Amino acid sequence: QVQLVESGGGLVQAGGSLRLSCAASGRTFSNYAMGWFRQAPGKEREFVAATWWSGGRTYYADSVKGRFTMLRDNAKNTVYLQMNSLKPEDTAVYYCGADPKDAYYSPRYDYWGQGTQVTVSS
């Protein structure tokens, strides 16, 4: 129904930057929440940022606020996560999700991409 594909991950040094992309296809409804989550080995998937195709606020986890920015391009059905001032603790697999519910901070989204690895070295 909804296909999500992440790209843009890689290996960077602390203080560096990366931009992640999430391309959506299939049924993409304007009222869906679009979220970025991350999961490190042995840890639960955690909220990073979320926005909506139809507009409204963009929300960020306290751990990334001021460093990460979520962007969207409705014409291309693509959302982005611009990550600056990266820290080793940002190392994780980053996932893009889509969900029709308003609990944007919950990791229980209906649709997920395959994930993209981000590794930040000291």
Side-chain angles (χ1 to χ4, degrees):
Q1 298 185 45
V2 177
Q3 292 281 101
L4 304 172
V5 179
E6 302 97 334
S7 61
L11 174 64
V12 298
Q13 294 187 8
S17 298
L18 283 173
R19 176 173 286 200
L20 307 183
S21 299
C22 173
S25 61
R27 293 186 179 182
T28 304
F29 300 104
S30 62
N31 63 335
Y32 271 38
M34 296 295 299
W36 286 100
F37 291 75
R38 64 188 183 185
Q39 188 167 21
K43 297 180 65 177
E44 295 295 318
R45 191 168 299 186
E46 66 175 353
F47 168 74
V48 175
T51 191
W52 283 258
W53 294 114
S54 58
R57 288 190 60 183
T58 301
Y59 295 90
Y60 299 94
D62 289 343
S63 59
V64 306
K65 195 171 185 179
R67 300 188 298 121
F68 292 9
T69 303
M70 189 172 181
L71 306 168
R72 68 178 183 270
D73 187 335
N74 291 49
K76 296 182 178 180
N77 290 326
T78 301
V79 296
Y80 306 89
L81 185 67
Q82 178 65 46
M83 305 184 294
N84 299 324
S85 301
L86 284 162
K87 304 175 181 179
E89 50 263 46
D90 295 319
T91 295
V93 177
Y94 283 70
Y95 296 92
C96 177
D99 196 87
K101 300 177 181 179
D102 62 357
Y104 60 87
Y105 50 83
S106 172
R108 302 298 184 184
Y109 275 38
D110 284 351
Y111 305 99
W112 295 102
Q114 83 288 350
T116 185
Q117 177 71 48
V118 172
T119 303
V120 184
S121 65
S122 300

